[in-house]
Structures are given as structure tokens and as C-alpha cells.
Amino acid sequence: MVKQGTLRIAQVVVQYIIGVFIFISIGSLPILLKDLELDVAGYITSIKELVVKIFTLSSLTYDGEHEMLPAIIDRYFYSLKTLSLSFLFAVIFAFILSYIIVLFLKNKKDYVLSFIEIIRTVPDIVGIFLLQSFFIWINKAYGVKLVQTVSLGSENQAFLLPLLSMSLPIFLFLTQVIVLKIFEELDKQYIAFAKAKGLSFLYLLNVHVIRNIQHDLLGHLKTIIWMMLSTLVIVEYIFNMDGLMMFNIKHISIELFVFSCILFFTPFFILYRLIDLRR
């Protein structure tokens, strides 16, 4: 048992190192294709230098002179907090709306899901722009400032509207998935048998159905995270947020890009491995 545990830990460590090396290899590609000519020697040298810098956390700089770590740590946690809260809000409200559809709009679920699908066809950047424009219009028309629509220095950071912008696509996606999976589960024979035994619909929904669809929902986790990371770039840029994505846009650097990718990769890698342990 101890041997298996040790082997499992070793596998996870190797997988993580391989993941980090992939980011380093991808980040160094501009060196390989510099001036549209293959520079294999420069590419290998760049990889070696990045490996040493990242695994020793030494000589990491941006703009060629500034120390990277002090500049990005707070921004990284700021971006991670935005991601985490957006995901939490999306999950909570997706379950609330799903329950409303299942309990009260069962006969109209197809219409509701079709409407959600129509909203989802709107590109994220257009949806964010419309949300921002709506709150700006409210402010100008009625003099009521419901939310900060753009970050203006450390004292006026936009937060609620970026959270809403980040949560909305995931909320819509999750609602569709949850509702479809619930109704798929409700059509199974064990539900009919349980109803015949006198078990209440709410009991079946909360105890059996939700538990049985958890695996399918976790299967969509990687898709959701990639969706949120791509949206985070747009959100931080549009709302001028002082996050790590915006910092990368302002200070384009191979070292900064690679290290930022690794920072975002690490918690999600750990999360995936923890989920794997439950299966």
C-alpha cells in the first residue's frame, strides 16, 4: 500500500515536471522561429536557461531589468481570486436556475434551454461590452452608479462587473449541462422504482440524482477552466484590471509568459489530481 502511494506521488511529480517543460518549450518557440528562420541552437539555449531560472526561481526578470516575483505575486492572487469567485458564483446560480427549471418549468424546459443557447451564441467580448455599456447608460441616464465599470487606479478597482462578466458564460453553460443531466437521470428505471416505493421527488433529486450526475459534471471541469482563463484575458483588458493577464499584455516577455502559465497551471493540476483520487 505504501509502495503504491509512493509510486503514485512519483507519477504526479513527473507529470507536473512534464507539464512545466511543455510550457517552457512552447514559450521558447519565438526563439526557434526568429526572423522566420529556424534557430535550433538558440531555441535549445533558451529552453536550458528557462529551465534553470524557473526551477531555481533565480534571475527571473521582466523588461530585462525588473525582478519578476515581487511584481506578479499579488497580481497572480488577484487574478486567481477573480477566477475562483466567478466559478463559485456560476456554480451556485447555475444550480439555483436548474432547480427552478426542474421544479417549476419542467414543461417549458426546451424553450428555456433554447433561449440560453441563443444567449450563448453571443461572443464573450460582445456580451461583456453590452454589460459594461448597460451600466454606463444607467449611470448617465439616472445618475445611479451601481457598479464600477472600469478600474481607475488602486482606489477604484472594478470587481463586481468583471465577476459578472466572467460568471455569465459558465453559468449559462453549466445550467444547460445540469438540466439535461438531471432529466436524463430522471428517465432511468431506478427513479420510477423509487417513486413507486413512495420516495419524494425532492429526496430523489437531492440525494440520488445530483450524486449520480456529479461525475459527468466533473468531466466538464477542464472545459470550464479553459473557458474562464480565455475570458479572464478579455475581462482584465476591458476593465483595466491590475491582474496577471493584464500585466502580461503590458510587459510582453517569454520569461513572464512561461512563468505565468506555470502559476495558473499549478493549482488546476493539483485540483485535477485530487479529483482523480476520488474516482
Side-chain angles (χ1 to χ4, degrees):
M1 190 72 176
V2 176
K3 223 174 188 181
Q4 288 181 342
T6 304
L7 181 61
R8 180 62 179 162
I9 292 173
Q11 288 176 338
V12 170
V13 172
V14 170
Q15 288 172 355
Y16 178 76
I17 292 173
I18 291 173
V20 170
F21 185 76
I22 289 172
F23 284 119
I24 292 172
S25 301
I26 293 173
S28 298
L29 282 176
I31 304 297
L32 178 64
L33 303 173
K34 190 175 182 180
D35 298 326
L36 299 180
E37 294 182 1
L38 287 177
D39 184 3
V40 178
Y43 179 64
I44 294 173
T45 301
S46 176
I47 289 176
K48 288 179 179 178
E49 290 176 352
L50 278 175
V51 166
V52 172
K53 288 180 179 180
I54 286 171
F55 281 99
T56 61
L57 295 179
S58 62
S59 304
L60 285 169
T61 61
Y62 68 96
D63 292 345
E65 52 181 325
H66 305 293
E67 286 188 33
M68 188 188 298
L69 287 177
I72 68 172
I73 291 301
D74 288 341
R75 291 178 172 90
Y76 165 67
F77 283 111
Y78 179 69
S79 294
L80 205 60
K81 181 175 71 172
T82 305
L83 274 173
S84 303
L85 289 176
S86 299
F87 177 75
L88 182 63
F89 289 168
V91 170
I92 291 172
F93 287 106
F95 269 101
I96 290 173
L97 181 56
S98 298
Y99 266 63
I100 291 172
I101 294 171
V102 171
L103 295 175
F104 305 109
L105 301 172
K106 184 177 180 179
N107 296 328
K108 298 180 180 179
K109 73 176 177 67
D110 292 335
Y111 297 106
V112 176
L113 293 179
S114 296
F115 179 68
I116 290 175
E117 184 63 30
I118 291 171
I119 298 176
R120 287 193 62 211
T121 59
V122 178
D124 290 349
I125 191 168
V126 175
I128 294 169
F129 175 74
L130 290 174
L131 274 174
Q132 192 179 41
S133 299
F134 172 74
F135 284 106
I136 290 173
W137 174 77
I138 289 289
N139 187 17
K140 288 186 175 180
Y142 301 101
V144 179
K145 188 176 182 180
L146 297 175
V147 293
Q148 182 73 25
T149 55
V150 67
S151 296
L152 301 170
S154 57
E155 298 298 322
N156 293 303
Q157 284 285 320
F159 194 67
L160 185 59
L161 191 53
L163 280 184
L164 179 60
S165 301
M166 286 279 296
S167 301
L168 188 58
I170 308 305
F171 158 69
L172 296 173
F173 173 76
L174 270 177
T175 300
Q176 282 185 309
V177 173
I178 293 170
V179 171
L180 290 172
K181 291 298 179 182
I182 286 176
F183 279 102
E184 185 180 304
E185 198 70 21
L186 289 173
D187 287 335
K188 293 184 177 179
Q189 289 186 347
Y190 82 89
I191 295 293
F193 179 73
K195 285 181 179 178
K197 290 181 65 176
L199 296 176
S200 70
F201 179 75
L202 277 177
Y203 176 83
L204 290 172
L205 180 62
N206 293 324
V207 176
H208 294 286
V209 174
I210 297 300
R211 182 183 62 194
N212 290 341
I213 68 172
Q214 281 180 5
H215 180 76
D216 290 324
L217 294 180
L218 289 174
H220 290 282
L221 184 60
K222 290 183 181 180
T223 302
I224 291 170
I225 288 174
W226 282 113
M227 286 172 63
M228 296 190 75
L229 285 172
S230 62
T231 306
L232 182 63
V233 179
I234 301 171
V235 167
E236 288 195 3
Y237 182 78
I238 290 178
F239 294 103
N240 194 35
M241 298 171 68
D242 192 24
L244 187 53
M245 294 293 191
M246 189 64 179
F247 193 73
N248 270 270
I249 293 172
K250 290 180 177 178
H251 306 278
I252 299 175
S253 158
I254 291 176
E255 290 180 22
L256 178 59
F257 169 76
V258 171
F259 196 67
S260 298
C261 288
I262 293 169
L263 283 177
F264 282 115
F265 166 71
T266 300
F268 297 126
F269 175 83
I270 294 171
L271 178 62
Y272 296 151
R273 298 291 77 80
L274 290 175
I275 291 172
D276 287 341
L277 288 175
R278 290 187 56 189
R279 295 177 179 176

